[in-house]
Every structure is written in C-alpha cells, then in structure tokens.
Amino acid sequence: MKIEIIGAGAVGLLHGARLALGGAQVRMLTRGKEQAELLARDGIRLSRGGEAVDVAVEASALQDAAMAEAEASTLQDAETAEVEASALQDAETAEVASFALQDAETAEVASSALQDAATAEVEASAQHDAASATAEAGPNGREGRWHVLAVKQSALGPELLRQLAALLRPGDSLLCLQNGIGHLERLARTLPGIRLYAGVTSEGALRVGAREVVHAGAGELHYGPALGADGSASADPLLAGWRQALQRAGIAAFLSNDVEDRIYRKLLLNAVINPLTALLDVPNGRLPEHPQGIRLMKALHEESLSILVSAGFAATGEEWERLLDVCRRTAANTSSMLADVRAGRPTEIASINGELARLAARHGVPAPLNEAAAALVHALE
C-alpha cells in the first residue's frame, strides 16, 4: 500500500519509520528539499530501547510532489478530453449514417447498415466508458493513496493548503494528526472529494536532527471520519489496507466513533500544559510544583473544561486527575510549545487556546484566561 507522510517532524518520522518497517511503501514529503534528499539517501534512523535502525523510505519535497501531481492531472484531463471528443465524433457519424440508411432501396441493405450504425454507437459508448475509467484511475492507473498529515497547525497556511490541493485527488484519504481544533474545517473546504480522518496519537516521539527520531514512549492512535467530511469509513476502499499496514507495523490503532470527544480531551490537556510551560519556562513535571503553577493550572483547566462542555464534550469528572497524571508521566518532557518558544518558532497557541476562546464566543461562555494565555504566548513568539 502506498502511504505518504506529509511532514517529517517527530510524529511524521516515527510513523513513517514504523510503517516502512512493517512492509508499507512509504514516501516522506518534507517542507525542504535538503531533508528530502537526506531521507532518500540515508533513510530514517529510528531509536528505541537503546537501539537504532536505519529504515529505507522514499522522500520528496512536498512542493515538488505537488507540482508533479498537478502536471499529471493536467495531462490526464487533456487525454480524457481528447478521448471524449473522438467518441462524440464517432457517435455523430453513426447517427448520420443511420439517417442515410433510411433512404436505402432495399430492407436488406437498410438492415445491414443499421446494424453497422448500432455497432458504431456501442463502440462509441465503450470508448466513453474507457475514458471515464481512465479518469477514475488516473494516469498510468493511479490508485487512491492514503496520506498522513503530520505537520503542526501553525504550518497550515495558504501555501501548504495550495500544495495539498494539488497533491491529493478525489478518492484519496487524509488522516490529520494536528493538535487543537479548527483545522479540519479549513481542510474540508480546501479538499472537496477527499476522505478526511481526524486522529489523536499519544505516542512519544522526539526528533533528533533531520532524519533521526527517538520513540520515547508507546501510545495509541485513535482516529475516525472527520465530522462533516466527504465520504465515510464504510465506503473507503483504502481503509482495509491502512489498518493492515498499522497492524504489521505494531502500531496500536483504533477506528473510533467518538474521535471528536478524544480531540476535545487532548485539547483540554494541551490548553493547560502547553501555554503554562511556555510562559513559566518549565518542563511538564515542574508545572504542578511551581508556586503559582498549580493555581494557574486549576483556573485555566476549569475555564477550558466549561467551554468544551458547552460545545458538547462529555465530561467524566476525571479530567483534573488525568491532567495531573499526564504531568507526572511526562515529567521530564519539554512541551512542544515551550520548545517552539525557545527556538523562536511560531507556536500552535492560536489553534489551541485561541480556538478555545473562539469556541467560547460561539457558545456564549466567557474565556478571559484562554484569551490572556493566547495573547501572552503570542508576545513570546
């Protein structure tokens, strides 16, 4: 099965390496050409359990792959138009012939000519069907592809969306592994006809250099059709191959019918841990121990939970304890937002606390702490 991983950060490299080790045909699509050349030449180095292995994968720059797909699509459209025009011409010729045959002097001649006309019309219809089949399969019999979008939400700007629109074809599937909310609606508008899946992963991954990733902790992948997206899982011919690829890779993955609740559950964790670790400049485990950290955590957690419940999140009453448990289990981890602030990169604050504030406004719920967290982290960028 052809699987394309869009984005070669920690999550992208980890899934690309594991899927390739399981026997899937993996192509990594990177933001830069230099990383693509490195991966194509040396593969992904996957480190786990104190051991490292180099995993061979295909790799291309996303820009180049999108351009090649757009050119192939244009060529296919031209070839399809030529076949359809030829079929139409044959059908018109057959129709003229049938009229002419009406003036034939004998019934035998007329019958024979009409038979020829009917044969020509059938052939024209067959040519049209062949053209339609070619359009569905794509050039050289292109089959649908499964894509995994593993870039941060902060990267989902107009340029990347244009590249995705050129890269993906109707019949393809796209699994989105972004933190926060708001991106699925943008992707659905940009990619009509693409089957969209929302996913939440708890795998621990740390990128070390351009081609090496450390599998820092086992987790699970939960995914399901995005709300309001085109198509359904039951009608997706690619789904069986994807699930088999996950199984062969040893990735614990579950097709979920409550993926929206899982997205909200992860959003609640990110909305508290990410901005506060970035603002206080501490690893996850230090957050509850910080003199003001625990008070800020409680206040931001209560506000965020209230917003999500107003939007339909099914709270269990165990959310606060789960937050503390995550801080304990990832005590030494540097959150992605803190890492971005330290590196001077744009953060995902707009898609996490910023989106929570916008969600609150839609449901008439106050969100002063989320608004403040978004503004403060933006000031650090």
Coordinates of all heavy atoms in Angstrom, one line a residue, residues 3-40:
I3 N 1.7 4.8 1.1 CA 1.3 5.7 2.2 C 2.3 6.9 2.1 O 3.5 6.7 2.0 CB 1.4 5.1 3.6 CG1 0.5 3.9 3.7 CG2 1.2 6.1 4.7 CD1 0.7 3.1 4.9
E4 N 1.7 8.1 2.1 CA 2.5 9.3 2.0 C 2.4 10.1 3.3 O 1.3 10.4 3.8 CB 2.1 10.2 0.8 CG 2.3 9.5 -0.5 CD 2.2 10.4 -1.7 OE1 1.4 11.3 -1.7 OE2 2.9 10.1 -2.7
I5 N 3.5 10.3 4.0 CA 3.5 11.1 5.2 C 3.9 12.5 4.9 O 5.0 12.8 4.5 CB 4.6 10.5 6.2 CG1 4.4 9.0 6.3 CG2 4.5 11.2 7.6 CD1 3.1 8.5 7.1
I6 N 3.0 13.4 5.2 CA 3.3 14.8 4.9 C 3.8 15.5 6.1 O 3.0 15.7 7.1 CB 2.0 15.5 4.4 CG1 1.4 14.8 3.1 CG2 2.2 17.0 4.0 CD1 0.0 15.2 2.8
G7 N 5.0 15.8 6.1 CA 5.7 16.4 7.3 C 6.7 15.4 7.9 O 6.3 14.3 8.2
A8 N 7.9 15.9 8.1 CA 8.9 15.0 8.7 C 9.5 15.5 10.0 O 10.7 15.6 10.2 CB 10.1 14.8 7.6
G9 N 8.6 15.9 10.9 CA 8.9 16.2 12.2 C 8.9 14.9 13.0 O 9.0 13.8 12.5
A10 N 8.8 15.0 14.4 CA 8.9 13.8 15.2 C 7.8 12.8 14.9 O 8.1 11.6 14.7 CB 8.9 14.2 16.7
V11 N 6.6 13.3 14.8 CA 5.4 12.4 14.6 C 5.5 11.8 13.2 O 5.3 10.6 13.1 CB 4.1 13.1 14.8 CG1 2.9 12.3 14.4 CG2 4.0 13.6 16.3
G12 N 5.8 12.6 12.2 CA 5.9 12.1 10.9 C 7.0 11.0 10.7 O 6.8 10.0 10.1
L13 N 8.2 11.3 11.2 CA 9.3 10.4 11.1 C 9.0 9.1 11.9 O 9.3 8.0 11.4 CB 10.6 11.0 11.7 CG 11.2 12.1 10.8 CD1 12.4 12.7 11.6 CD2 11.7 11.6 9.5
L14 N 8.4 9.2 13.0 CA 8.1 8.0 13.8 C 7.1 7.1 13.1 O 7.4 5.9 12.9 CB 7.5 8.4 15.2 CG 7.1 7.2 16.1 CD1 8.3 6.3 16.4 CD2 6.4 7.7 17.3
H15 N 6.0 7.6 12.6 CA 5.1 6.8 11.9 C 5.6 6.3 10.5 O 5.4 5.1 10.1 CB 3.8 7.6 11.7 CG 2.9 7.7 12.9 ND1 3.2 8.6 13.9 CD2 1.9 7.0 13.3 CE1 2.3 8.5 14.8 NE2 1.5 7.5 14.5
G16 N 6.4 7.1 9.8 CA 7.0 6.7 8.6 C 7.9 5.5 8.7 O 7.8 4.6 8.0
A17 N 8.8 5.6 9.8 CA 9.7 4.5 10.0 C 9.0 3.2 10.4 O 9.3 2.2 9.9 CB 10.7 5.0 11.1
R18 N 8.0 3.3 11.3 CA 7.4 2.1 11.8 C 6.5 1.5 10.7 O 6.5 0.2 10.5 CB 6.5 2.5 13.0 CG 7.3 2.9 14.2 CD 6.4 3.2 15.4 NE 5.9 1.9 15.9 CZ 5.0 1.8 16.9 NH1 4.6 3.0 17.5 NH2 4.6 0.7 17.4
L19 N 5.9 2.3 9.9 CA 5.1 1.7 8.8 C 6.0 1.1 7.7 O 5.6 0.0 7.2 CB 4.2 2.8 8.1 CG 3.0 3.3 9.0 CD1 2.5 4.6 8.5 CD2 1.9 2.3 9.0
A20 N 7.1 1.7 7.4 CA 8.0 1.1 6.5 C 8.6 -0.2 7.0 O 8.8 -1.2 6.2 CB 9.1 2.1 6.1
L21 N 8.9 -0.3 8.3 CA 9.4 -1.5 8.9 C 8.4 -2.6 8.8 O 8.7 -3.8 8.7 CB 9.8 -1.3 10.3 CG 11.2 -0.6 10.6 CD1 11.3 -0.3 12.1 CD2 12.3 -1.4 10.1
G22 N 7.1 -2.2 8.8 CA 6.1 -3.2 8.7 C 5.8 -3.7 7.2 O 4.9 -4.5 7.0
G23 N 6.5 -3.1 6.3 CA 6.4 -3.5 4.9 C 5.6 -2.6 4.0 O 5.4 -2.9 2.8
A24 N 5.1 -1.4 4.5 CA 4.4 -0.5 3.7 C 5.3 0.3 2.8 O 6.5 0.5 3.1 CB 3.6 0.5 4.6
Q25 N 4.8 0.7 1.6 CA 5.6 1.6 0.7 C 5.4 3.0 1.2 O 4.3 3.6 1.0 CB 5.1 1.4 -0.7 CG 6.0 2.2 -1.7 CD 5.4 2.1 -3.1 OE1 4.5 1.4 -3.4 NE2 6.0 2.8 -4.0
V26 N 6.4 3.6 1.8 CA 6.2 4.9 2.5 C 7.0 6.0 1.7 O 8.2 5.7 1.3 CB 6.7 4.9 3.9 CG1 6.7 6.3 4.5 CG2 5.9 3.9 4.7
R27 N 6.4 7.1 1.4 CA 7.1 8.3 0.9 C 6.9 9.4 1.9 O 5.8 9.8 2.2 CB 6.5 8.7 -0.5 CG 7.3 9.9 -1.0 CD 7.1 10.1 -2.5 NE 5.8 10.6 -2.8 CZ 5.5 11.4 -3.9 NH1 6.5 11.8 -4.7 NH2 4.3 11.8 -4.1
M28 N 8.0 10.0 2.3 CA 8.0 11.1 3.2 C 8.0 12.4 2.3 O 8.8 12.5 1.4 CB 9.3 11.1 4.1 CG 9.5 9.9 5.0 SD 8.1 9.7 6.2 CE 8.3 11.2 7.1
L29 N 7.1 13.3 2.6 CA 7.0 14.6 1.9 C 7.4 15.7 2.9 O 6.7 15.9 3.8 CB 5.6 14.8 1.3 CG 5.1 13.7 0.3 CD1 3.7 14.0 -0.1 CD2 6.1 13.7 -0.9
T30 N 8.5 16.3 2.6 CA 9.1 17.3 3.5 C 8.9 18.7 3.0 O 8.6 19.0 1.9 CB 10.6 17.0 3.7 OG1 11.3 17.3 2.4 CG2 10.9 15.6 4.0
R31 N 9.1 19.7 4.0 CA 8.9 21.1 3.6 C 10.1 21.5 2.8 O 10.0 22.4 2.0 CB 8.8 21.9 4.9 CG 7.6 21.6 5.7 CD 6.3 21.9 5.0 NE 6.2 23.3 4.6 CZ 5.8 24.3 5.4 NH1 5.5 24.0 6.7 NH2 5.7 25.5 5.0
G32 N 11.3 21.0 3.1 CA 12.5 21.4 2.4 C 13.2 20.3 1.6 O 13.0 19.1 1.9
K33 N 13.9 20.7 0.5 CA 14.5 19.7 -0.4 C 15.7 19.0 0.3 O 15.9 17.8 0.0 CB 14.9 20.4 -1.7 CG 13.8 20.9 -2.6 CD 14.3 21.4 -3.9 CE 13.1 21.9 -4.8 NZ 13.5 22.3 -6.1
E34 N 16.4 19.7 1.1 CA 17.6 19.2 1.7 C 17.3 18.0 2.6 O 17.9 16.9 2.6 CB 18.3 20.2 2.6 CG 19.7 19.8 3.1 CD 20.4 20.9 3.8 OE1 20.0 22.1 3.7 OE2 21.3 20.6 4.6
Q35 N 16.2 18.1 3.4 CA 15.8 17.0 4.2 C 15.3 15.8 3.4 O 15.6 14.7 3.7 CB 14.7 17.4 5.2 CG 14.3 16.3 6.2 CD 13.2 16.7 7.2 OE1 12.4 17.6 6.9 NE2 13.1 16.0 8.3
A36 N 14.6 16.1 2.3 CA 14.1 15.1 1.4 C 15.3 14.3 0.8 O 15.2 13.0 0.8 CB 13.2 15.6 0.3
E37 N 16.3 15.0 0.4 CA 17.4 14.3 -0.2 C 18.2 13.4 0.8 O 18.6 12.3 0.6 CB 18.4 15.4 -0.8 CG 17.8 16.1 -2.0 CD 18.7 17.3 -2.4 OE1 19.7 17.6 -1.6 OE2 18.4 17.9 -3.4
L38 N 18.2 13.9 2.1 CA 18.9 13.2 3.2 C 18.1 11.9 3.5 O 18.7 10.8 3.6 CB 19.0 14.1 4.4 CG 19.7 13.5 5.6 CD1 21.1 13.2 5.3 CD2 19.5 14.4 6.8
L39 N 16.8 12.0 3.6 CA 16.0 10.8 3.9 C 16.0 9.8 2.7 O 16.0 8.6 2.9 CB 14.5 11.3 4.1 CG 14.3 12.1 5.4 CD1 12.9 12.6 5.5 CD2 14.5 11.2 6.7
A40 N 16.0 10.3 1.5 CA 16.0 9.4 0.3 C 17.3 8.7 0.3 O 17.4 7.5 -0.1 CB 15.8 10.2 -0.9

